[in-house]
Amino acid sequence: MLQTISLLMENKPGALMRVTNLLSQRLYNIESLTVARTLDPTLSRMTIVVDVDSTLRRQVIKQMNRLVNVLQATDLTEAPAVSREMVLLRIRVTMETRTAILKEAEIFDARVVDSSVEGFAIEATGDPEKLNEFIDVMRAYGEIEVTRSGMVAVSLEAKKLKLSAPVPAGAEASLQPVR
Amino acid sequence: MSLQLKLGNGENQQMPTLMSGAKILLECLVREGVDCIFGYPGGVTLPLYDAMYDHPIRHVLVRHEQNASFAAEGYARATGNVGVCCSTSGPGATNLITGLVDALMDSIPVVAITGQVTSKLIGSDAFQEADTFGITRSCTKHNFLVKNIADLPQVVHEAFYIAKSGRPGPVLVDITKDVFSGQGQYAPVSAIHLPGYKVFTEGHTGQIRRAAQMIWEAERPLVFGGGGLVASGASAELRELVEYLDVPAVLTLMGLGALPSTHRNFISMPGMHGGYAANMALSNADLLIALGVRFDDRVTGRLSAFAPHAKVIHVDIDPAEIGKNRAVDLPIVGDLKRVIGKLAKVAKELEPSESGKNRAARAAWWGQVRSWQEAHPLVPATSTSEIKPQHVMREIDRISCGEALVAVDVGQHQMWAAQFIRFNGPRQWMASGGLGSMGFGLPNAIGVQFGRPDKLVFAVVGDGGFQMSIPELSTIASYGLPIKIVVVNNGYLGMVRQWQELFYNNRICAVELDVFPEAEKLAAAYGFKGRTVDRVEHLSSALEEAVKEPGPYLLNVRVSPTENVYPMVPAGAALNEMVLEPPRPVTVPK
Ligand SMILES: Cc1ncc(C[n+]2csc(CCOP(=O)(O)OP(=O)(O)O)c2C)c(N)n1
Ligand SMILES: [Mg+2]
C-alpha cells in the first residue's frame, strides 16, 4: 500500500535530496513528490507518495525527522487528512465531440483553461481515483496528453510543532538551548 | 542575558573586521577549541594552508587522507572532543570518506573540511572537481557547501554543534577556493539556530519512573550497555546505578570501558565473539536495561531468538534507534548521563520494602550468572611451542594495567583484544565497530596520541590491516609519536580465513599474506626501533622493551597462523547456540 508522507522542512539546497535519499537507498520508488514554499519563505512543505515496506514505515519517518533540515515528518496514510491532485490535460477534439467533452468536464468539475479549433486544455482537481476516471473518460474521446501534479495533502489534526531554540556558538558554550 | 536580545540589537557584538575566508575559518576553529587538524593539502586549499603558515593551530600532515579522517576519529574517541580533518577537493575529499562513514556508524564527532573548486566552476568538470556535497550526503550526519564567504562562520559553528550534540557524528564542510581566498567582514557568531534539529536530552520523567518500577519488579534484570554510554560520558552514573541496584552488566564492543573491566558487576562483552556468561545472561534475563545500544546483528545473533524472555527498557538519545531492530517495552529518549542519573534517584525513591525486593530471585540470578562465568570463563589460550594471539593480548593487558589506550584494527586480533585487554575507564578502547574498517587502527592511534600525549598508546593491528596503514609510519616517525605498534601476525587475513575454514569447507582463497616486511628493517627505514618475535619466551621482554623505548616501536609478533576466535555465535544462530570451541556445540539447559 502506498504511504503518504508530509514534511515541513527548511527551504535550503540539498534538503530535498536528503529526504529522497532515505527512500532511494532502499530502492523505493517515489510515486509522486510535490514541494513548495510555505507562508514562511524559509520553509517548504513536501508531500511524498511512496510504497514503503509496512514494517519500515515508522523507521523511515523517524529517520526523516532526524534530518537536520526537517522540522517535522508525518505519516498521513492513516491519519485524518485531505489529499488532492491536479491534472492538466490536452485533448484533440473534432467539431462533433466538442459539446460532449465539455459536458463530461462539467460532470468532473473540471475547467477548460484553453480552447482552440484543435482542442481543449482542461484542468481538473480531486482525489487521485477520481482523476483516473476523468482521464479514462477523456481518452475515449480522442488523443490526450496528461500532466499530473502529484498529490498534495494536508493533515486535519493540528500537530504541535516543536522547534529548537537557538544555542550559543563555540566550544565553551553549553549544549543547552537558551530559554 | 537573553541571547535573542543580544542577537537582535547587536549591541554586544564585536565590530566586524575584514579577513580572508581562510582566516575566518581558522578563527572559528579556535573558538571551537580546536588545537590540531589532521590533513593533507592540495590546490584549492592552498589559501587555507597559507593562512595556517603563521597561525597557532597545529596541522598534522598525514600520508593519506583516509588516515586523516581515521586520526581525527581517534582524537575524538580518546578525548570526547570534536576531531578535525581536512583535505583538498576531488581525490582528497573522496579519500576521506571511509573515515567519515566509520565515524557515522560509531557516532564519533568529527568535522571534515574539504576544499572545493571555485564556485563558478562547480559543475564544469574542473580540475580535481568532485561533487563532494552530493557524495558525502549519506556518509555524514550532515554536510554543508559554502559558496559565499558571509555564510562561512555560521556554517562552521553549526557543523561543530551538529557533530558534538545529540547523537554525535561526522559533519563535512565543503568550501570553495574563492571563499578561502576572498575577503569578508568577520564578527564572531554568538548563536546558532537550527529549528529542525532536535536534540532530546532530559528523558521523560514518567517513563523513567516506570523504568525504575520495572527494574524493581524484575527477577533477572541485566544492564545491556553500548557506545552511547561512552559518548554521553555516563560512566559514573552507570557505576552508581549498577552498584546500587546490584544488577549484572554486559557491555558491547563499543561500550567497553564504560564500566571498569574488573568491576564485579561487569560480566563480559556479548555477541558473536562475546563471553559465554554474557550471552547466556542475555538469553535468560527477564529485563534488559538497554543503554545506548543499537541491537546490532553482531551483538544479537538471530534477532528473533535474542533475549527471548526479556522485557526491554531502551534508553537512547536517538529516537530512530528505538524499536529499530527490537520491539521495546519502555522507550526513553534522552542523554544517558542525565537519564541514568535520574533513574538511580527515582529507583531510590521507589525502593520497595524488604519483602518486595525479589531478594531470593535476584540472588538466584546472580548465582546463575556466576556459575556461567565459572563454567566457561574467557581464558586466553597459551602454548609453549608457539605464540598464541590471545596470549599477546594478555601480555599487553599485563603491561598496561588497565591504563593504556588501545586502538585496534579489524579482524581476529580485534576480537581477542576485546576479550583479553582490560580497561579502567572509557575512551581507552578504540575499535571500528559499526563499519569494521581495516586500516583503522594505526592512523587512529595517531589521533589518540595527539589527543592524549601523556598516555601509553598501543596500536594493536593485524598483518593485513597494518599493511593498509604502512604509509603512516612516516607520520609517526616525523612527529616522534611514542606509539607501540603491535602487529599480531598470523600470515593471513585471519578473520576471513576463519570463515572460509568454518563455513566454506576450508576452501582457503585469497587470504594468504605470505610476504611481510622485516619489522626491524622497516622501522629502521623510518628511523625507529622494531623487532620480530616468534618465540613465546621472548614475548614479555619484547613488549617491555617496546614500552620502555621513548619513541615509536614496531613489534611484529608471529603468532599461530590458524588460531580461530572462540566463543563464536555462527551467523544466523541464537546467542545461546554459541560454539565454545571447535567443534563442540553447547546445548543449553532450558
Ligand atoms: C577495508 C576492509 N576490507 C576488507 C575487510 C574484510 N575483512 C574483515 S577482517 C579481514 C582480515 C583482517 O586480516 P588481518 O588484518 O591480518 O587481521 P586478522 O584477522 O588476521 O587478525 C578482512 C579482509 C574489512 N573489514 N575492511
Ligand atoms: Mg592476520
Side-chain angles (χ1 to χ4, degrees):
Chain A
M1 200 186 77
L2 293 177
Q3 182 182 19
T4 307
I5 303 169
S6 173
L7 291 117
L8 185 65
M9 56 201 219
E10 289 184 272
N11 184 5
K12 282 190 176 165
L16 168 72
M17 210 167 60
R18 294 178 207 280
V19 172
T20 55
N21 191 55
L22 291 174
L23 301 168
S24 60
Q25 78 175 152
R26 298 178 162 101
L27 215 63
Y28 289 153
N29 190 44
I30 294 172
E31 294 297 324
S32 88
L33 185 152
T34 65
V35 58
R37 240 172 49 178
T38 64
L39 283 178
D40 177 345
T42 65
L43 302 179
S44 320
R45 171 71 69 181
M46 179 153 123
T47 309
I48 311 179
V49 180
V50 55
D51 192 0
V52 172
D53 194 291
S54 60
T55 55
L56 286 175
R57 292 186 167 186
R58 285 173 56 121
Q59 186 60 24
V60 165
I61 296 280
K62 281 183 183 180
Q63 290 181 346
M64 286 180 176
N65 270 310
R66 183 164 71 176
L67 296 171
V68 173
N69 295 145
V70 171
L71 278 65
Q72 193 176 49
T74 331
D75 187 351
L76 293 184
T77 317
E78 264 135 47
V82 184
S83 49
R84 287 289 179 272
E85 188 175 0
M86 184 170 99
V87 162
L88 280 176
L89 173 150
R90 204 155 40 90
I91 183 162
R92 276 182 169 279
V93 298
T94 59
M95 281 307 154
E96 292 76 57
T97 53
R98 281 186 92 93
T99 8
I101 289 172
L102 288 175
K103 267 261 158 54
E104 296 285 4
E106 205 174 300
I107 292 168
F108 281 93
D109 251 341
R111 293 195 302 140
V112 173
V113 287
D114 187 73
S115 168
S116 67
V117 182
E118 286 88 46
F120 296 126
I122 304 176
E123 166 201 318
T125 56
D127 63 53
E129 305 285 280
K130 189 184 124 182
L131 295 178
N132 289 342
E133 283 169 34
F134 175 61
I135 292 167
D136 282 346
V137 168
M138 287 294 134
R139 214 191 333 242
Y141 287 94
E143 202 183 307
I144 60 172
E145 197 182 297
V146 177
T147 305
R148 301 180 72 138
S149 66
M151 192 156 94
V152 290
V154 65
S155 164
L156 297 177
E157 285 174 330
K159 252 210 158 184
K160 244 210 297 180
L161 180 65
K162 274 213 191 114
L163 296 187
S164 298
V167 290
E172 304 309 314
S174 85
L175 297 180
Q176 286 313 296
V178 179
R179 300 239 185 254
Chain B
M1 174 181 39
S2 151
L3 195 69
Q4 240 81 21
L5 207 73
K6 193 169 154 186
L7 289 177
N9 59 22
E11 255 177 0
N12 295 326
Q13 282 180 339
Q14 264 169 259
M15 282 297 289
T17 37
L18 196 66
M19 286 162 77
S20 74
K23 282 230 167 81
I24 293 176
L25 171 63
L26 293 175
E27 271 314 297
C28 294
L29 295 183
V30 168
R31 283 198 66 208
E32 289 293 346
V34 175
D35 56 6
C36 79
I37 304 174
F38 303 92
Y40 210 92
V44 298
T45 52
L46 276 167
L48 175 61
Y49 281 80
D50 187 58
M52 273 191 232
Y53 178 79
D54 46 11
H55 193 279
I57 280 191
R58 180 171 204 186
H59 179 271
V60 177
L61 180 67
V62 292
R63 275 25 174 195
H64 186 295
E65 290 90 349
Q66 174 173 305
N67 300 323
S69 47
F70 280 147
E73 259 201 277
Y75 180 94
R77 286 176 193 251
T79 63
N81 300 326
V82 179
V84 182
C85 56
C86 167
S87 82
T88 191
S89 62
T94 55
N95 276 349
L96 283 180
I97 284 175
T98 306
L100 295 180
V101 181
D102 197 85
L104 183 67
M105 292 289 272
D106 287 348
S107 307
I108 306 298
V110 166
V111 167
I113 310 283
T114 51
Q116 182 54 275
V117 300
T118 295
S119 35
K120 67 174 194 305
L121 293 179
I122 291 179
S124 73
D125 304 329
F127 178 62
Q128 293 193 329
E129 180 185 359
D131 173 19
T132 305
F133 185 55
I135 292 170
T136 60
R137 185 180 68 243
S138 50
C139 306
T140 53
K141 182 176 173 185
H142 195 69
N143 64 359
F144 296 93
L145 168 61
V146 185
K147 288 170 67 181
N148 185 340
I149 196 165
D151 300 334
L152 184 62
Q154 193 73 32
V155 163
V156 174
H157 291 301
E158 284 178 6
F160 275 82
Y161 175 62
I162 293 168
K164 68 191 173 184
S165 61
R167 178 181 183 167
V171 179
L172 180 136
V173 185
D174 196 27
I175 304 172
T176 59
K177 185 175 186 182
D178 49 314
V179 168
F180 280 134
S181 53
Q183 298 284 316
Q185 292 291 344
Y186 172 70
V189 172
S190 53
I192 37 189
H193 191 196
L194 298 163
Y197 177 59
K198 308 144 200 91
V199 180
F200 305 92
T201 52
E202 297 307 316
H204 189 280
T205 317
Q207 295 288 82
I208 293 173
R209 244 188 132 67
R210 272 185 284 279
Q213 277 158 356
M214 281 170 76
I215 295 171
W216 282 122
E217 282 159 18
E219 297 190 342
R220 300 186 306 280
L222 180 70
V223 165
F224 171 38
L229 292 165
V230 178
S232 160
S235 284
E237 289 76 8
L238 174 68
R239 191 170 175 158
E240 199 204 320
L241 184 80
V242 297
E243 286 177 2
Y244 166 63
L245 295 168
D246 199 23
V247 173
V250 299
L251 296 171
T252 67
L253 183 85
M254 291 305 298
L256 292 178
L259 277 180
S261 310
T262 50
H263 193 282
R264 65 185 158 81
N265 291 56
F266 174 61
I267 309 308
S268 63
M269 174 179 86
M272 182 170 272
H273 295 297
Y276 174 76
N279 284 345
M280 292 304 287
L282 281 167
S283 302
N284 288 275
D286 70 347
L287 177 69
L288 292 192
I289 308 160
L291 306 173
V293 286
R294 51 189 185 84
F295 296 85
D296 179 71
D297 57 74
R298 293 288 126 139
V299 177
T300 62
R302 190 169 72 246
L303 194 58
S304 58
F306 175 70
H309 313 292
K311 288 189 171 164
V312 177
I313 299 169
H314 190 186
V315 190
D316 204 285
I317 199 160
D318 179 3
E321 279 305 328
I322 308 273
K324 183 180 80 176
N325 292 335
R326 164 75 185 234
V328 167
D329 299 277
L330 188 92
I332 301 175
V333 176
D335 177 28
L336 284 158
K337 190 178 173 71
R338 287 164 193 265
V339 173
I340 296 173
K342 285 187 197 168
L343 184 58
K345 221 175 115 214
V346 177
K348 280 178 196 163
E349 283 167 28
L350 296 182
E351 184 168 325
S353 63
E354 213 38 44
S355 60
K357 273 187 185 165
N358 291 331
R359 280 248 190 255
R362 295 285 182 102
W365 173 231
W366 260 121
Q368 175 91 83
V369 170
R370 294 293 182 222
S371 73
W372 286 322
Q373 283 183 292
E374 278 152 29
H376 301 288
L378 277 171
V379 192
T382 49
S383 155
T384 46
S385 57
E386 53 179 4
I387 303 178
K388 290 283 185 184
Q390 298 91 329
H391 182 51
V392 179
M393 304 308 166
R394 253 298 127 87
E395 278 301 303
I396 293 172
D397 177 70
R398 180 181 65 79
I399 284 178
S400 68
C401 301
E403 282 300 311
L405 276 61
V406 179
V408 287
D409 212 82
V410 173
Q412 291 182 311
H413 66 282
Q414 177 190 27
M415 294 299 115
W416 286 314
Q419 290 175 343
F420 298 115
I421 305 179
R422 289 170 291 187
F423 303 97
N424 291 342
R427 303 202 176 282
Q428 287 182 244
W429 163 249
M430 288 15 96
S432 170
L435 194 63
S437 355
M438 281 174 72
F440 166 97
L442 190 66
N444 204 266
I446 293 176
V448 171
Q449 189 78 77
F450 273 103
R452 301 299 305 273
D454 53 321
K455 287 284 184 181
L456 172 60
V457 177
F458 283 99
V460 178
V461 297
D463 46 333
F466 174 74
Q467 290 184 84
M468 286 192 176
S469 318
I470 282 184
E472 294 310 319
L473 292 179
S474 170
T475 313
I476 289 172
S478 151
Y479 292 91
L481 302 175
I483 297 169
K484 310 308 166 196
I485 306 161
V486 180
V487 181
V488 183
N489 192 337
N490 49 14
Y492 281 110
L493 298 172
M495 188 56 98
V496 179
R497 192 205 49 76
Q498 174 167 350
W499 282 61
Q500 290 177 343
E501 180 190 322
L502 298 179
F503 309 115
Y504 291 85
N505 289 322
N506 206 22
R507 286 155 62 92
I508 303 301
C509 178
V511 290
E512 278 117 347
L513 297 170
D514 49 352
V515 174
F516 190 84
E518 259 181 64
E520 196 170 343
K521 286 189 187 162
L522 179 64
Y526 287 102
F528 60 88
K529 281 201 184 142
R531 175 178 170 187
T532 294
V533 286
D534 51 9
R535 303 195 34 186
V536 186
E537 55 272 27
H538 296 155
L539 179 62
S540 322
S541 59
L543 266 169
E544 279 159 19
E545 180 189 316
V547 170
K548 273 197 208 102
E549 172 68 25
Y553 199 100
L554 174 63
L555 182 61
N556 175 35
V557 187
R558 290 265 173 205
V559 298
S560 29
T562 53
E563 189 72 17
N564 285 341
V565 186
Y566 286 101
M568 178 171 196
V569 180
L575 289 187
N576 59 7
E577 292 159 0
M578 68 195 304
V579 183
L580 288 175
E581 55 192 54
R584 237 184 17 216
V586 188
T587 38
V588 175
K590 269 274 167 253

